[in-house]
Amino acid sequence: MMTFRDAAMPSFCRPLPLGFFASCLLLPTSLVWMVDPVYGQPSSPETPAAQPEATTQTLPLPTPKLAAPVVEAAPAGQYVLEFNRSPVVEDRLRFEGIYDEARLWFTRPRNWQTQSVKVLLRYRHSAALYATRSNMTVLVNGTSIGSVPLNRKQGELGDAVFEIPPRLIRDYNEVVVAALQNNSPTCTQDPFDPSLWSEVLPDSKLVFDFEPQSIPLDFQQYPYPIVDVLSLEPNQVAYLQPATVEETWLTAASRLHSSLGRIVDYRPLETRLIETLEQIEADEHLIVIGTPAEQPALTALDLPLTLTDNQFLDGEGQPLPADVGVLALTTTLDNQVPVLVATGNGPAGVAKATQFLVQSDAEAIGTGQAILVQQLAAVPSPPTRDWPKYLPAQDSFALQELKTFNQQTFADVTVWGSQAPALEFDFRALPDDQFLPGSSMRLSYSYGPQVNPLTSQVEVKIDGVAIGGERLRSEDGGTRESIKLNLPTDLIKPYSKMQVNFRLDPRERRSCSRVTDQQLWGTIHADTQFDLVREIAAWLPDLKLLQYGFPFAAPQDLSQTAIAVPDEPSSSDLLVMLEMSERLGRLSQAESVELAVYRASQIPAAIKQDRHLIAIGLQKDFPLSEAFDPAAGFQLGHTFSRQWQQSQIQTLPDDEGLVKQMRSPWNEERVLLALSAQTAAGLDHVRQLLDQDSLFYQLEGDTVLISASEATPDPYDPQAYDLTVLKQAQQQRTSLEKRPRQLFLSLQRHWLFLSTGTIAAALIFYGIAQQLIQRLSRSDA
């Protein structure tokens, strides 16, 4: 059976982890008041008596409007979703053997009312197939919607249209195309005959006729409609740039965009900045962050709270305290565009409002059109090596402690048939893991009777490379058998997947019958044990580790990372800042975001000393000039000059972007990442590198130069950009582990020398002791 996995799929073909919808129903350490848009009464997750005294004071709220604002529905339309949108399709879907199938996934946007859906299938097949015993069947969410016989002549293309009943369409949908192929009217003897094939062409498509629905605005649905994880198109977000850009806006926007990056995960997200409300477009979603003084456009929005003299007022006409955050949902552009507002009467209120949205436990209790955040509990920073998408930090763990693709824990898994698919799961090493000899796994498995033990086996692979296996022992089946396998030290990478596969052969074979095949089964037990021997170290600088967020995403709440921008950042600087924040959000997973952003003149000395730094800006006003120190490898200079090793040149013009990683000049245990260019065009190339996976996952070395092969490159065409990798900086061994642990691992690594040294020392001391005893004996005599 051919199964297309979920790796590297766009939004229409990869199922979203179901755990995304898990939410906390009660947050006793935070006080948040929600404005009910219908009845106009404040509601609290708890009674005031249950809160600390500092949080029992309630604010008199104004009576909201009788109805919450809604985003008006767009006209009915048609949407065409071609199969080639999925990278698993590429040039075609190919089916081989007697029976084969392929799976694709697609989503339905939340505001679509589906009228009709059709599958337009274009296919071709081998001329050797026998028409009455060969067909292609399409199933949607487990229900067959039709079949077509494979009866075309040599080289002739077939077309088939299948109607999908609207009642079958859900938020997440699976399309299965199954091919039954025979080249004989009675019995196909060889299931591996190369003439048994058919193909579905990449221009096959799904055609939706839909009617968009209006969208009520309620924080209970957040992050929808600001981003829709079910969208078939890239989510588009626009930020309203404030009149003056200061640390409050920079940090708030960066943290919020990091959280949006986590939410959309692998799905595309397009971001831009606008200066006025009139610049917003109908297919975008707007975010406004800042106080009324920083965002004068707030007066033009229909907000649930009274705004007078740049102050939000409570129900009694008094200004809200400066440290109270205000969140609101509204619309603009004739009710076509949803707007998220994070504001307050002071910077502390703005920061608190934004932080409420990025803390998953707090955001889960939000509801209504507006929220006043009076108190917000701080979320403890996770341990540095607690990376949820990677292997556990402890050296011994079981399969049930790992996560499936939808973030569920593993249970026992049973597979059926001689061609059963492998159990595949992420086995991703932490970026600073260095595995040592002695790492092993003990696979626990069971299998059913009627297998031929001479030709049946269980095997384990890492990224398609077999690391071991065992022949099954009994034709009567086995229960809780186990096999111990050594794990290679060089195969486990931060992107690795492990496959456990049963090769089951029936004890008795009968021609043209699948009955003896389907009674075969094997089970992989969740208590399969892994024991790893590893040291914690990474060699930096290394841009390849940036592909996994290391070291900036350690810990995963980004609390050890800070971004620096020029004192007067340009739109290009801010867009790169947002793109970098989004990428860090995609590469991390935590209950909060603690990323901080500073302007060049406002960076505290303690931040330079204690945190990993990401500096963004053009060479002429780069916030951390130490990155272009002559001793720091490749450097950009004034008047379009550049220096590499002992060579120095000047270029006209210089539109290349620069990504450079180096040891921090203020702390050798920290890293400085420079994102720079000589021109705004070069800085835009850096933004595209951070945005496009096809470019970002080419990073390596310590310095990368990116340029475009065309004047106006297509941002979605990886061939439109050229990357040059430079390696000069001397790498140094870095460890994020605590010192006692490092010492223990060092002793463990050099145990042979230590043992020899200990024995030699013991012999020396023994000799010295014998000499002293002899001298004492002679003196007594």
Side-chain angles (χ1 to χ4, degrees), residues 549-567:
F550 188 85
F552 304 98
Q556 292 272 280
D557 65 352
L558 311 179
S559 58
Q560 291 299 310
T561 297
I563 297 177
V565 297
D567 284 326

Side-chain angles (χ1 to χ4, degrees), residues 762-773:
L763 292 175
I764 292 172
F765 282 119
Y766 177 78
I768 294 174
Q770 289 297 319
Q771 289 292 331
L772 290 174
I773 292 174

Side-chain angles (χ1 to χ4, degrees), residues 73 354 629:
T354 309
D629 185 271

Side-chain angles (χ1 to χ4, degrees), residues 78 136 397 484 552 580 653:
Q78 187 178 84
M136 186 171 289
F397 56 89
K484 183 177 181 179
F552 304 98
M580 188 71 225

Side-chain angles (χ1 to χ4, degrees), residues 356-404:
F356 173 82
L357 295 177
V358 304
Q359 293 185 188
S360 57
D361 56 350
E363 181 272 320
I365 65 173
T367 190
Q369 181 199 352
I371 298 176
L372 301 184
V373 187
Q374 293 181 259
Q375 181 176 332
L376 191 62
V379 177
S381 182
T384 303
R385 291 177 49 76
D386 182 9
W387 290 39
K389 296 181 180 180
Y390 292 76
L391 294 178
Q394 63 267 26
D395 291 337
S396 296
F397 56 89
L399 176 62
Q400 59 197 4
E401 297 178 55
L402 303 181
K403 300 290 185 181
T404 65

